[in-house]
Amino acid sequence: LPGYRQPNPAVISRYFGTPSAAPDISPDTHYFLAQKPEDSFRIFVMGGSSAAGFPYGRFGSVSGMLQQRVKRLFPEKQIEIISVAMSAINSYAIRDFSDEVLAAQPDLVLIYAGHNEYLGIMGTGAVFSSFAGMHQLKLVYLALLDSHLFRLLQQVIIPLTSGDDPEVERGTLMARVAEGQRIPLADNRFEVGVAQFRDNIGTVLQRFKENDVPVMLGTLVSNEKDLAPFVSGDESPNADEYYQNGQTLAAQGQFGRALEQFQLARDLDLLRFRAPGIFNETLRSLAAEYDAILVDVESSFRRSAEQGLIGNQLLLEHVHPNRYGYFLMTEAYVEALIASGLLGDATAYPSTASWQEIPLTDVDLLVAEKKIKDITTQFPFTDEFQYRSELPDSIEPELLRLGEARLAGTSWLAAQQDLLRYYQVQNEHGEAARMAALLFDAIPNQARTAFVAGQLYFAARDWSMALYYHKKAIRLAPDNIEYLMMAGRSFMANKQPEGALAAVESVLTIDPDNKPARYQQARISQMLEQKP
């Protein structure tokens, strides 16, 4: 978009010699203004696939749900939310990205990371990594990535020294990463993973602190209760034995002791797709050391989980939350945001109402269901693993058709436009408004889309959101008489006559003979004069 920037969709290739060697992953598209407005409050989200909202994508993630939430809580603020989170990356990429995030002038950074530390790119046991376990050498490598000559050498040398592997593209990314990777608790690579996580995240926090950018650092959650260890090992007691002990204790109602056993099982799992418990200890320590705001996502999940044991009730498989889990994660950051006072006083808006507005459709759920089935029917999962389907008992035939189209390759943008038309035909103004709003959130330079969202919210009698989007429209097209007149109506519906008067007077500046504007000016002026 002209005048806008976005996270580089090919950024993953910087860690590989040639683009063809890189896995097919990228951050979601988030457009933000190249020239930061003076009144803007800019939030960046950093982390791996859970921070990115897998399997739902942007609008099921912390960034998407937070964007939906702040419209209600801080409607007068100009808030930009940009995510550079993506699958398969770990603290090295976060460290690498931090300077570029700083250059984009963030006012707040949210971090949720740790599950990819061992098997993510540049992890101590990663298949997509050179010099595994050599932390200082990896830091030199990251520093050299800024060198144009080094990049050229990468492109020449790596193709000459790397043979083609006919097996490399088989299976999901997770299956390819997992194959053959084993890191026992006593292995030096385990300690190296803990050390690199502390050093990288600590360095990131120090950089942001030196630049007066507050950071919210989230603790991690994983499936303890309903996911057996991926690889147990032969020693005794081993991960499987602890997991079975946990199941037995939970069945007996000894939930505190069961939790201890489940966590031991997770920490002894040789296939490290779940962050060990020491990572949350590290995050708490780093938050205190660098004055970051600790967001205790783990405690939030534990309060909502049955008997405090986190499992399939809130997670889709090993680490990725379901939609309610992502809502809980977002709410933890929202509560920290409100408590911080960074945006001033929040408008009272209950989270129960916010849950009804999460920006996911049945079509999104259908696509997410397919993604989860793709990974849980391959290694390292087994047929025994069961996750809870989130699909409704019945889906409208047209929504099912749109979902199948998405799975067949229709873009999110085209599918969203189809959904907007569908809900308009059904006269479901609230749902249609939500679709139009998401379209504008995705492509924020389209004044007409913002205006349509405002009109639909107005038809649904959701006055606050109608005004929110009408104001977005006139911010982008301040001379559009239609937008200004409708904004005036929205101001009046929200009992803000001063704003309505300013809107119609803007119309009269453009068109002094505009009769409707003249009439509204006189009516509102009289109302204000009579106001006690």
Side-chain angles (χ1 to χ4, degrees), residues 302-317:
R302 208 166 293 292
R303 286 192 298 271
S304 292
E306 294 173 358
Q307 310 303 333
L309 302 175
I310 300 172
N312 290 352
Q313 179 189 8
L314 298 174
L315 295 166
L316 293 167
E317 15 72 345

Side-chain angles (χ1 to χ4, degrees), residues 316-335:
L316 293 167
E317 15 72 345
H318 59 312
V319 295
H320 298 112
N322 59 22
R323 56 178 169 163
Y324 188 69
Y326 276 118
F327 175 74
L328 285 178
M329 183 185 294
T330 303
E331 281 300 292
Y333 282 99
V334 166
E335 289 171 9

Side-chain angles (χ1 to χ4, degrees), residues 274-290:
R274 294 175 290 178
I278 194 173
F279 275 40
N280 276 346
E281 296 173 23
T282 301
L283 289 166
R284 292 185 173 92
S285 171
L286 288 171
E289 182 177 352
Y290 293 100

